[in-house]
Amino acid sequence: MHNQPRYKPYAASNFFEDGRSERPTIEDTVARGQLHLDEARYTGKLNGKDVDYFPIQITRADLARGQERFNIYCSPCHGRLGDGRGMVVLRGLRQPPSYYDERLVTAPIGHFFDVMTNGFGAMFSYASRVPVDDRWRIAAYIRALQLSQNGPAGIANTSETTTSPSQAQRPPVREKMGQRMGGGLK
Amino acid sequence: MPQLFRPASNTIAKGSIAVVVLLLGGTLAVGYITDRGSWMTFVQVAPEQPIPFSHKHHVKDDGIDCRYCHTSVETSHYAGLPPTETCMTCHSQIWANATLTQPIRDSWATGRSIDWTRVHDLPDFVYFDHSIHVNKGIGCSTCHGHVDEMPLTYRVNTLYMNWCVNCHREPYKYIRPRSEVFNIDYEYPANQEVLGRRLMAEYKVKDARTLTDCFTCHR
């Protein structure tokens, strides 16, 4: 009874050659509900070019979620402020560019989605760890960071002290975000 | 006929009763200690791992969140162990030539999984689910202790039925705000009883009657 003849997640199996009980899906398998036809939303691109609008609606709650996810998955390297000086970089990882570089401030939002989805240079893909819509929320939060750092001094201060998602973004950022995001912000 | 039992045998009789009681108690105590000690339960004993992975270095020193590696803990019954790819996001560059991290690169090159040894392993007839606990305000450290201070991972709780049921009877003693679930240094406030009861109502935690029903865990 303690060990029943069934597999728990990640259990080893000597039936398959690679020793795993979990089988990879056969290529081109499309599971029910996984037919991703909305190209902009699932690839961040339209006709091969990065999109410059948000394919999902970004509300204040989404920004807070974006901040939380950013702190989990990106801050070890990019730092909580996105300046590229995270803890792991201090221990010898190649330093990523700061999000406040002119090139990244002007980059279309789809670029950030694409970097997370496919990786970029030395950075690995986060597609297996961060679900699609969360990637858009992280992208929105990065945009908010950029605006807060380049905006009036008051906003920059708030972003430095935001540690809990509940106090995520102040209204001034939201208004600016609204303009930048083509009004997608509710 | 001389007396068979001299007055001294009164003391001997009393003494022997005491000895029997003590022996019995002692045997029970030894039995209990062996059964509940780390000898049987493996609490505080870190099993050998293919790579001496240290939560102390990764969590405490480098400040990496649990969810960076245990990605499914909020959404599924299973917390999830990081695939080799996750290790490689950093170790393709740091400690990239060390022998300690060689098994990571071997796994990456050959596509074979790293064979971690389970630290926690409930019997298969018990149903456990991480997501419900995490979403109802039970923190990782309540069940797993100070993982961030473990050079090698070990267990701090027996996972015996009485351990689960003790909490299911009185969850308010352990519930914390959801935002603190991943805070490994969280300390329960002095008014935990009041806070716990308030959070139980807020998170709509089921009553003790339902939570201690056998089919909650044996289904």
Side-chain angles (χ1 to χ4, degrees):
Chain A
M1 278 302 271
H2 275 248
N3 285 305
Q4 296 162 8
R6 63 182 163 92
Y7 292 121
K8 284 187 170 185
Y10 296 170
S13 159
N14 50 20
F15 184 78
F16 296 103
E17 208 183 332
D18 63 4
R20 288 180 208 154
S21 58
E22 279 170 353
R23 310 312 306 153
T25 45
I26 290 156
E27 231 176 298
D28 295 330
T29 308
V30 179
R32 203 171 247 271
Q34 302 279 314
L35 183 61
H36 298 323
L37 287 179
D38 187 344
E39 200 187 334
R41 179 167 170 194
Y42 292 102
T43 65
K45 290 178 196 293
L46 264 187
N47 309 322
K49 274 185 65 186
D50 290 332
V51 295
D52 58 0
Y53 62 92
F54 284 89
I56 64 165
Q57 205 152 44
I58 302 289
T59 63
R60 186 188 277 250
D62 289 319
L63 265 187
R65 168 105 182 154
Q67 177 181 37
E68 188 196 46
R69 298 292 122 174
F70 177 87
N71 287 342
I72 298 169
Y73 295 106
C74 317
S75 72
C77 301
H78 289 273
R80 293 219 162 198
L81 292 177
D83 55 8
R85 286 194 307 239
M87 195 54 116
V88 178
V89 171
L90 301 182
R91 304 213 190 257
L93 195 96
R94 169 174 175 174
Q95 179 163 359
S98 159
Y99 291 152
Y100 310 111
D101 281 0
E102 189 55 31
R103 183 174 62 84
L104 287 175
V105 170
T106 50
I109 200 70
H111 178 61
F112 295 90
F113 184 88
D114 180 55
V115 171
M116 281 183 258
T117 308
N118 300 315
F120 185 92
M123 179 180 141
F124 275 57
S125 157
Y126 279 77
S128 62
R129 273 171 271 176
V130 188
V132 171
D133 286 355
D134 277 349
R135 277 176 245 157
W136 285 113
R137 295 184 186 113
I138 292 178
Y141 177 67
I142 293 178
R143 203 64 339 147
L145 272 181
Q146 292 174 331
L147 288 171
S148 73
Q149 217 71 355
N150 295 335
I155 309 177
N157 284 342
T158 60
S159 89
E160 249 174 52
T161 51
T162 44
T163 44
S164 80
S166 54
Q167 45 173 151
Q169 290 306 320
R170 304 286 191 282
V173 181
R174 259 180 83 230
E175 274 159 32
K176 283 196 89 175
M177 296 269 301
Q179 295 155 16
R180 270 304 264 275
M181 294 174 178
L185 199 72
K186 249 209 319 210
Chain B
M1 197 175 128
Q3 271 221 312
L4 203 51
F5 296 104
R6 264 166 289 154
S9 33
N10 272 342
T11 337
I12 295 176
K14 277 186 199 145
S16 55
I17 292 176
V19 166
V20 167
V21 168
L22 278 179
L23 261 179
L24 216 74
T27 321
L28 283 178
V30 169
Y32 184 80
I33 290 167
T34 352
D35 189 45
R36 294 294 149 114
S38 63
W39 207 69
M40 277 296 287
T41 60
F42 295 100
V43 164
Q44 311 280 351
V45 181
E48 203 165 314
Q49 299 286 3
I51 306 171
F53 177 81
S54 159
H55 280 89
K56 181 173 183 301
H57 282 152
H58 290 88
V59 176
K60 186 167 219 158
D61 301 349
D62 297 336
I64 309 173
D65 193 286
C66 309
R67 288 164 285 183
Y68 189 92
C69 294
H70 304 297
T71 44
S72 56
V73 73
E74 292 168 296
T75 49
S76 97
H77 74 103
Y78 187 66
L81 281 190
T84 306
E85 184 192 5
T86 299
C87 311
M88 284 301 280
T89 51
C90 294
H91 289 296
S92 56
Q93 292 181 51
I94 34 181
W95 283 71
N97 298 308
T99 31
L100 267 186
T101 52
Q102 186 60 39
I104 304 179
R105 293 187 298 278
D106 288 347
S107 163
W108 186 242
T110 60
R112 284 194 80 86
S113 308
I114 302 172
D115 283 326
W116 299 109
T117 310
R118 288 199 70 111
V119 180
H120 302 76
D121 196 1
L122 285 172
D124 288 0
F125 54 75
V126 180
Y127 175 76
F128 178 78
D129 189 308
H130 271 97
S131 62
I132 184 94
H133 291 95
V134 171
N135 289 310
K136 300 255 170 161
I138 307 289
C140 311
S141 58
T142 304
C143 297
H144 294 303
H146 259 289
V147 175
D148 63 331
E149 276 161 13
M150 300 180 187
L152 284 174
T153 322
Y154 53 83
R155 224 168 347 118
V156 298
N157 284 307
T158 55
L159 308 193
Y160 283 172
M161 180 162 137
N162 72 346
W163 176 70
C164 312
V165 172
N166 272 345
C167 176
H168 279 206
R169 281 201 191 107
E170 302 174 310
Y172 62 85
K173 283 190 183 160
Y174 305 96
I175 291 186
R176 46 172 108 170
R178 270 190 201 125
S179 56
E180 299 293 335
V181 163
F182 294 92
N183 177 1
I184 206 125
D185 293 319
Y186 182 78
E187 280 180 19
Y188 291 104
N191 67 341
Q192 171 62 25
E193 180 138 5
V194 183
L195 178 76
R197 285 188 196 279
R198 209 194 70 221
L199 290 174
M200 265 184 81
E202 193 180 326
Y203 299 161
K204 300 193 177 64
V205 173
K206 291 188 181 151
D207 59 306
R209 169 79 184 65
T210 320
L211 282 181
T212 49
D213 254 340
C214 313
F215 69 73
T216 299
C217 308
H218 305 292
R219 31 178 109 178

